[in-house]
Amino acid sequence: VVDRYRDGEETIAEEHHDVTVIFADLVGLDELSNDLGPEESLEIINKLVRQFDAAAETHGVERVRNTHNGYLASCGLTVPRLDNIHRTVEFATDLQKIVNRFNAETGHSVQLRAGIDTGTVTSGLIGRAGLVYDLWGGAVQLASKMRRGSPQPGVYVSEEVYEATSDTRPYTAGGTITVGDHQEPTWRLSEDRR
């Protein structure tokens, strides 16, 4: 995408099939940051993001973008993978471990809330003055809705992700969310591994 932009293309969008997307938030990070100075707050955010990035690299997951308390990543986007769903769920498990370890070491109570879906997505450059590489489409939208609409912190997955991983990972019913004109079931990943 960068090479195409450098060659003069301004409207660049690519469709990708069989991509698994995770959209994660750190709940409680804003409240924690309010109690800290800017340097200490940035140090905590950088520490967590660096650990998230290392876990992503381990599992072949690619960070698309992050904000101070949010993290959007995908698997199968630039490197097609037959096991992208499993890799993304394992990555989410590592994110939960990172947050749990951070809380145990610091005494804070930051919590992970994430949504995972799989399907077709579109990627491209957005903006003009400050170009941003981003991802959108049904899988991104559903992952984001699960992350925002979940009743409690944890990792929530779509029906398709659940069906692909329920033989190796324990889940509990996570409720439903409204997508367009229908209800979509969600599943909450248990931290105990089978």
Side-chain angles (χ1 to χ4, degrees):
V1 170
V2 171
D3 288 340
R4 288 172 60 187
Y5 181 76
R6 287 182 182 152
D7 288 341
E9 280 187 66
E10 290 188 16
T11 304
I12 302 170
E14 293 183 58
E15 188 173 83
H16 310 269
H17 301 278
D18 299 319
V19 175
T20 303
V21 175
I22 180 170
F23 216 137
D25 278 340
L26 292 171
V27 180
L29 193 59
D30 284 337
E31 292 79 3
L32 175 60
S33 294
N34 290 338
D35 296 336
L36 303 173
E39 292 84 13
E40 191 176 5
S41 177
L42 181 61
E43 184 179 325
I44 287 172
I45 293 166
N46 279 334
K47 179 180 180 179
L48 289 168
V49 169
R50 285 183 190 119
Q51 290 178 53
F52 286 8
D53 286 346
E57 187 175 332
T58 297
H59 294 289
V61 172
E62 303 158 336
R63 175 169 48 105
V64 176
R65 64 178 159 88
N66 67 284
T67 60
H68 74 285
N69 64 350
Y71 197 94
L72 173 63
S74 66
C75 187
L77 183 70
T78 59
V79 178
R81 299 184 186 275
L82 295 174
D83 62 346
N84 62 64
I85 295 172
H86 290 276
R87 286 174 176 266
T88 307
V89 170
E90 288 297 321
F91 171 63
T93 301
D94 280 359
L95 294 184
Q96 187 64 66
K97 289 176 185 173
I98 290 166
V99 171
N100 291 347
R101 186 173 51 242
F102 169 78
N103 288 334
E105 291 172 355
T106 64
H108 298 302
S109 59
V110 173
Q111 296 178 310
L112 180 71
R113 187 170 54 205
I116 301 174
D117 190 28
T118 192
T120 301
V121 300
T122 303
S123 67
L125 294 175
I126 297 174
R128 186 145 188 84
L131 283 174
V132 175
Y133 180 76
D134 206 357
L135 205 60
W136 61 92
V140 178
Q141 180 183 11
L142 185 54
S144 178
K145 279 189 168 205
M146 284 187 285
R147 161 193 61 110
R148 286 178 304 171
S150 58
Q152 62 186 30
V155 177
Y156 292 81
V157 303
S158 66
E159 182 76 14
E160 191 171 348
V161 173
Y162 168 76
E163 288 175 4
T165 59
S166 63
D167 58 336
T168 59
R169 305 297 307 194
Y171 292 94
T172 56
T176 59
I177 57 171
T178 303
V179 179
D181 59 353
H182 69 281
Q183 295 290 309
E184 184 78 30
T186 64
W187 299 88
R188 187 173 187 268
L189 179 64
S190 298
E191 289 187 45
D192 298 325
R193 187 177 185 133
R194 283 187 180 158

